[in-house]
Amino acid sequence: MLISQVSNADGSITVVAREEGGKGRVVKGAESVYALAMEAANAGTSLKAVIEGKGFGDEIDLEAAYAAGRLLPPITHPDAAHLHLTGTGLTHLGSAATRDSMHKKTSEAAEETLTDSMKMFRMGLDNGKPKPGEKGVQPEWFYKGNGTQSVAPGAALTSPSFALDGGEEPEMAGIYVIAADGSPFRIGFAVSNEFSDHVTERINYLYLAHSKLRQASFGPEIRVGAAPDDIRGFSRIVRDGKVLWEKPFVSGEANMSHTFANLEYHHFKYGLFRVPGDIHVHMFGTATLSFGDGIRTQEGDVFEIGADGFGLPLRNPLAIAKEEEIEIRQL
């Protein structure tokens, strides 16, 4: 099942559900995806059962709503401060064609010659997929912001005036809510653009935190349930109506050095991230970047990311913010 949200003129939300390849139907009596997810989490039942229990109304044309700018992020919180955008890096093996060479490179290199990034990557290869009942190695982790930084599908990803780059990162995102008793529940997975500043990050790895404090977009639809083991998608940049750059990307545990369960554990082990009622959108990393191919994005470029089985592709144009004058005043 795929679920999404459409905005209405009166400010209300229409929740839409469909099967892959099927037509969208309005979920009757649904205030929002968040409300449905919390109802399911607090009742200890499945989200699909809650949705099916409410029933379906009229068909809705999601493509038309997308074109009209009416699609919202597929989950939103009434208080944006209670939605958290986070992620992990160095989690993917790369394409099937390069996987063997990557293993060989990291296993043959002397420990003292490895960068911290390569050491972290090798740690994931060694212990990112622990056996049941065991705890694996913790991954690189970063914070992107709260719900104020969540950009709707079709809306612009805005790069700050001080940024040195604004580039895409095609990733899978896990979508979670925290039940009233503090238990995390996964709704499912969505395509995401973990928008970042790669030039800043390249200056010094300790600038990673700065480079990640950027907006992000995910959706337009959430695939309810577990993620496929092998996910195949595409990432492209369109400039002036023509494809400037395009590459396939892969995700899913068959293409990762960590299990989703290991990455989830190392996020939710912190009590800070188990506050009842909160939403978490956690992005799981990628091995495909236009920046790695020497592409420099510019205002007006359109990022488009899609994956088989995850519904409509995610599209966002790039905008550049005007410079702000920041004055710190003494109280």
Side-chain angles (χ1 to χ4, degrees):
M1 178 181 284
L2 298 166
I3 55 174
S4 56
Q5 297 191 133
V6 177
S7 64
N8 301 314
D10 63 359
S12 63
I13 294 172
T14 293
V15 176
V16 181
R18 70 186 184 105
E19 299 298 324
E20 177 71 23
K23 294 182 178 180
R25 300 289 296 273
V26 173
V27 179
K28 291 182 177 179
E31 180 182 328
S32 64
V33 167
Y34 172 67
L36 292 170
M38 290 303 296
E39 181 179 339
N42 289 330
T45 189
S46 73
L47 177 57
K48 187 174 182 180
V50 169
I51 291 173
E52 291 176 343
K54 292 187 179 297
F56 302 98
D58 295 338
E59 289 185 0
I60 189 164
D61 188 336
L62 283 177
E63 287 280 15
Y66 207 168
R70 294 179 56 212
L71 287 191
L72 295 168
I75 191 168
T76 48
H77 196 288
D79 180 352
H82 288 278
L83 187 153
H84 307 279
L85 298 171
T86 56
T88 55
L90 302 171
T91 55
H92 282 64
L93 301 170
S95 67
T98 61
R99 188 179 307 159
D100 288 342
S101 63
M102 290 177 71
H103 276 275
K104 184 177 180 181
K105 181 178 180 181
T106 57
S107 62
E108 291 184 353
E111 183 71 22
E112 61 271 16
T113 67
L114 293 176
T115 64
D116 285 342
S117 294
M118 291 304 291
K119 289 177 183 177
M120 183 71 76
F121 176 74
R122 189 155 79 174
M123 288 164 63
L125 291 178
D126 291 342
N127 194 24
K129 294 183 174 181
K131 297 177 181 177
E134 297 181 357
K135 292 181 175 61
V137 67
Q138 60 186 0
E140 174 197 67
W141 182 96
F142 55 83
Y143 174 72
K144 290 192 67 65
N146 59 26
T148 64
Q149 302 305 297
S150 176
V151 172
L157 285 164
T158 302
S159 187
S161 62
F162 53 80
L164 303 180
D165 170 56
E168 88 297 334
E169 294 206 17
E171 306 187 10
M172 301 313 302
I175 318 296
Y176 309 85
V177 293
I178 310 301
D181 65 358
S183 300
F185 282 85
R186 184 197 315 117
I187 296 173
F189 293 83
V191 170
S192 70
N193 187 339
E194 196 270 287
F195 185 60
S196 300
D197 183 342
H198 303 103
V199 173
T200 293
E201 180 183 345
R202 188 173 62 179
I203 292 171
N204 188 304
Y205 190 69
L206 295 178
Y207 280 165
L208 175 73
H210 288 283
S211 75
K212 296 298 187 182
L213 285 173
R214 300 292 187 270
Q215 295 179 331
S217 189
F218 60 100
E221 301 176 84
I222 299 172
R223 176 180 170 136
V224 177
D229 192 49
D230 184 24
I231 298 169
R232 302 280 164 164
F234 69 88
S235 179
R236 68 171 66 108
I237 298 174
V238 177
R239 179 176 293 171
D240 299 325
K242 298 179 180 179
V243 175
L244 173 71
W245 174 89
E246 181 172 8
K247 267 192 172 180
F249 80 92
V250 296
S251 192
E253 291 184 2
N255 304 296
M256 296 171 65
S257 53
H258 290 259
T259 61
F260 285 124
N262 188 53
L263 299 175
E264 290 171 334
Y265 166 73
H266 285 296
H267 179 74
F268 289 110
K269 68 184 180 183
Y270 295 102
L272 170 67
F273 297 142
R274 299 195 306 276
V275 175
D278 279 6
I279 297 171
H280 290 260
V281 178
H282 191 71
M283 287 154 271
F284 289 106
T286 188
T288 304
L289 303 171
S290 66
F291 181 76
D293 289 339
I295 299 296
R296 292 300 302 268
T297 58
Q298 62 186 43
E299 191 162 23
D301 288 350
V302 178
F303 303 114
E304 186 170 348
I305 300 169
D308 294 340
F310 288 84
L312 298 175
L314 177 64
R315 302 186 205 66
N316 300 96
L318 172 63
I320 309 294
K322 294 181 180 179
E323 188 171 356
E324 297 178 275
E325 187 169 327
I326 309 298
E327 179 186 1
I328 312 302
R329 294 179 287 177
Q330 178 65 52
L331 289 174

